[in-house]
Amino acid sequence: MSANDALLRLVDASFGYGAMPIVRGVSLEVVPGELVALLGSNGSGKTTLVRGLLGLLPPLAGRVERSPRLRLGYVPQRETLDPLYPLSGFDVVLLGACRDLPFYRPTGAPERERTRSALEAVRAVAFSGRRYGQLSGGQRQRILIARALATQPTALVLDEPTAGVDPETEKAIVEVLQELRTEHRLAVWMVTHQLEAVIGRVDRTLVLEEGRLQSGRGA
Amino acid sequence: MELLFGPGLLFRNAVIGGLCVAIVCSLLGVYLVLRRLVLLGVALPQAGAAGIAAAFWISAHAHQPGGAHTGALLGSLVATFGALGLLVAGQRSGRSPAEWGVGALFAIASSATVLFVALNPSGDLEVTNMLRGELLTVSDADLLALLVASALSLALFFSFRREILLASFDAEFARTIGRNPARADALLFGLLGGAIALGVMEAGPLVVFGFLVLPPLAALRVAPGLGAAMAIAAAIGAVCSLGGFSLAYRADLPTGPTSVALAAVFWLALTAFARWRARPGRRASPRAAGLVALVLCVVAALGCGLVFGMEPAAPPLSRGTLPDLAGRGPVAVARFRNATGVPLRIESGNPLRELPRVIGRGSGEEWTVTDALQAQASHELALRDIAVSGFEADRAAMTSVPQDAASAATLARDGGVTGPVLFGCLRRFTVTGTGLLLVHLDLSLVDSSSGDVLWTGQARGPFSVRSALTTRELLVDAAPAIFAQAFDAD
């Protein structure tokens, strides 16, 4: 993979809150068509690194280089979303499809079409009419992946997408991510603390320990 | 009906003002509930009430229409937004749970309200009325401000509804797609603060809190989607506002709490319906449920309309000294003559009608105290079980103001009136600085065919109008007593 292909590059970057760095001296590249698992135990700095990748935290040190082709799609932990909202799965995905829509323009046919395509890509059409709060964990995860996909990203970042789901659902979710990597040539980065969920299924794993990237290896 | 919506209406401002508060609060309240900030809905209105009480105290308000109201509005705005700012700052520091600050705010604002009222020697009645949610005293200026603010709020809310939803549902995702959730939050809380500050001015903290919470809770029980939840909440708010006013009018209850009680009935009914629907084996059909809620609203609205259309079920009042008019046909009421030397104009309840006058291009008929008294006379006769031809018919039949009873009979005859005609001449209509209305009204009932005088009566004397701030409110307070004295005195 050529360095010029990189959508995002961290060079000796540190991220944290206030002046306190939590992730230190990280160098990595996000390239298209690669499925990467970022592993680490609780408190290792995974979420901080994800926030740095997403641009939600500025680097405290080092450099962040973003390609003009970079469009990040983010899939948060599904527990962070309130099921009280009376939104259907389709409504949730539609929010992502409106990424480039100015506030004064109502959603139209192109946004709805993009929503349908995203739902089809993650095989979530069947339950997309149901209320988001009434879906199972795996179904919600697919809806959130579809929402990120509807933003027409070049890179997907997923925070604990397989947490709290049964092994079958976990396998299905990773399969969807593999398809997105292959068919849409997306860079897919997933954060997880479950090594067994990704072993043998991803192109590369990175391990974060106490705020430092310890290793990188092929699957 | 005429009392509420007719041109001489006595409650139109209150009805329209109440509708504005109900619709805007119910709509914005959906987000307050979804964001689990219901406690904010009780604390902020209380802060607004404390601000108003403080403004009344500072201005030592007694009866100074206009200036004191502006001060109270400023007090409400400053207190509401000040409290909101403090809560946001406290939450950003992240040192304590948000509800701690909200609870403290409610306790402080509640005690401050009571203390400011206690410290104010002359303005307690107004503040007490406000705290009770007595919607009857909405001035034209207040209504205009409320209409403009409501329209602006709704326009902003609908323009930025997607940004507000993104910021509320998933702020982090919003940031990753280039949105600014902090700005959307600022807009939402700005709209909430404005609606609460103005709503408390018009309807009191209890009503504002009630409408912020109950219609959204009821709507969220059955709505199939967010848009439907907002539509249903606004519809419930509107129906409860109108229905509450109607019930309060008939049962002589405070209007605001009656409206809130009606909203509570909606919430309980829809909650029971939602639970019944969710029983095992019953197929959930959210769209059908939404439809049921809308049908409920329509039925309730029709019911309110019927209630509005009915006269109060109270027994007819005593005729007093009025003669028996059986067989003489319905009584027409001629236009009353204004002999006070003062125009006694009443500002229109519709602010749009006021605009031409404000810019110096006023034209056409202007509503005056004598017109309102003519309308009230017709109403009072009907309350005494006397057949009347009706205010609108009388206005159409007699288009000019007679000088005396004889010319009233002539005018009536020329206008096709065959029965008796009541004529009034207003000689005094003055408000004293001590909250008294000094009135001198002469009434004559003449036979339109023969010109014979059938009856004369008079209302003279001071009438207490302590809580009235506008001419319209003066009439609400005093008109029934004026006619009671004129008709009933021996």
Side-chain angles (χ1 to χ4, degrees), chain A residues 51 54 56 74 76 81-82 84-87 92 95-96 98-99 101-103 105-107 131 147 151, chain B residues 31 33-36 159-163 165-166 168-170 172-173 175-177 179 220 223-226:
Chain A
R51 291 173 65 82
L54 292 170
L56 300 177
Y74 173 52
L81 302 185
D82 196 335
L84 190 63
Y85 282 73
L87 297 171
V92 173
L95 285 173
C98 296
R99 177 179 189 154
L101 205 60
F103 72 89
R105 289 258 311 274
T107 50
R131 192 178 276 206
R147 182 181 65 168
T151 64
Chain B
Y31 271 104
V33 169
L34 285 176
R35 295 184 68 154
R36 300 171 193 260
S159 298
F160 290 92
R161 64 190 183 283
R162 200 163 48 232
E163 326 298 303
L165 173 60
L166 266 169
S168 302
F169 183 58
D170 192 349
E172 195 144 270
F173 176 77
R175 272 193 290 273
T176 64
I177 61 170
R179 297 296 208 273
L220 286 168
L226 188 57

Side-chain angles (χ1 to χ4, degrees), chain A residues 123 138 142 162 164-176 197 201:
Chain A
R123 298 190 290 277
R142 283 174 194 244
T162 56
V165 296
D166 59 72
E168 200 174 323
T169 306
E170 179 184 289
K171 183 173 170 234
I173 288 172
V174 177
E175 278 174 7
V176 165
R201 294 171 177 164

Side-chain angles (χ1 to χ4, degrees), chain B residues 6-101:
Chain B
L9 92 164
L10 301 175
F11 304 132
R12 183 169 58 188
N13 284 12
V15 170
I16 298 173
L19 261 180
C20 286
V21 171
I23 290 173
V24 174
C25 287
S26 302
L27 201 63
L28 295 176
V30 171
Y31 271 104
L32 207 62
V33 169
L34 285 176
R35 295 184 68 154
R36 300 171 193 260
L37 295 171
V38 166
L39 283 179
L40 205 59
V42 69
L44 284 181
Q46 197 58 51
I52 294 171
F56 272 71
W57 174 60
I58 290 167
S59 62
H61 168 61
H63 287 284
Q64 305 139 20
H69 252 62
T70 308
L73 178 60
L74 277 176
S76 179
L77 284 167
V78 167
T80 306
F81 280 102
L84 198 55
L86 283 175
L87 289 175
V88 169
Q91 201 174 3
R92 283 198 174 170
S93 72
R95 289 188 192 133
S96 53
E99 62 263 34
W100 291 11

Side-chain angles (χ1 to χ4, degrees), chain A:
Chain A
M1 194 71 62
S2 150
N4 290 336
D5 285 341
L7 296 167
L8 176 68
R9 184 180 295 122
L10 304 187
V11 183
D12 207 18
S14 298
F15 298 100
Y17 301 92
M20 169 83 75
I22 292 174
V23 173
R24 294 179 298 277
V26 172
S27 295
L28 56 82
E29 285 184 349
V30 176
V31 293
E34 190 179 32
L35 178 53
V36 178
L38 180 61
L39 292 161
S41 54
N42 289 337
S44 60
K46 298 191 301 289
T47 301
T48 305
L49 180 55
V50 164
R51 291 173 65 82
L53 286 172
L54 292 170
L56 300 177
L57 285 177
L60 298 174
R63 235 172 39 243
V64 178
E65 297 170 5
R66 293 171 189 278
S67 158
R69 291 178 294 122
L70 176 68
R71 272 171 73 94
L72 280 165
Y74 173 52
V75 181
Q77 293 187 33
R78 62 181 180 280
E79 288 80 11
T80 59
L81 302 185
D82 196 335
L84 190 63
Y85 282 73
L87 297 171
S88 68
F90 188 92
D91 294 334
V92 173
V93 179
L94 190 61
L95 285 173
C98 296
R99 177 179 189 154
D100 300 320
L101 205 60
F103 72 89
Y104 50 84
R105 289 258 311 274
T107 50
E111 289 76 30
R112 290 180 189 285
E113 185 50 44
R114 205 151 56 239
T115 300
R116 272 188 286 273
S117 300
L119 286 165
E120 280 167 10
V122 299
R123 298 190 290 277
V125 175
F127 49 83
S128 63
R130 285 168 55 195
R131 192 178 276 206
Y132 176 79
Q134 293 170 345
L135 298 176
S136 69
Q139 288 171 332
R140 284 189 204 179
Q141 200 63 61
R142 283 174 194 244
I143 290 293
L144 294 182
I145 295 171
R147 182 181 65 168
L149 208 53
T151 64
Q152 296 181 305
T154 52
L156 270 185
V157 178
L158 304 96
D159 195 357
E160 303 279 9
T162 56
V165 296
D166 59 72
E168 200 174 323
T169 306
E170 179 184 289
K171 183 173 170 234
I173 288 172
V174 177
E175 278 174 7
V176 165
L177 297 178
Q178 286 171 327
E179 281 175 26
L180 293 176
R181 179 262 323 255
T182 309
E183 293 175 15
H184 296 257
R185 211 177 136 63
L186 294 180
V188 181
W189 280 59
M190 58 186 289
V191 174
T192 181
H193 62 272
Q194 300 167 288
L195 179 63
E196 65 279 13
V198 296
I199 195 97
R201 294 171 177 164
V202 298
D203 302 321
R204 195 154 56 105
T205 55
L206 300 174
V207 180
L208 199 61
E209 272 183 18
E210 294 179 352
R212 289 194 179 275
L213 214 48
Q214 296 298 330
S215 62
R217 61 171 183 154

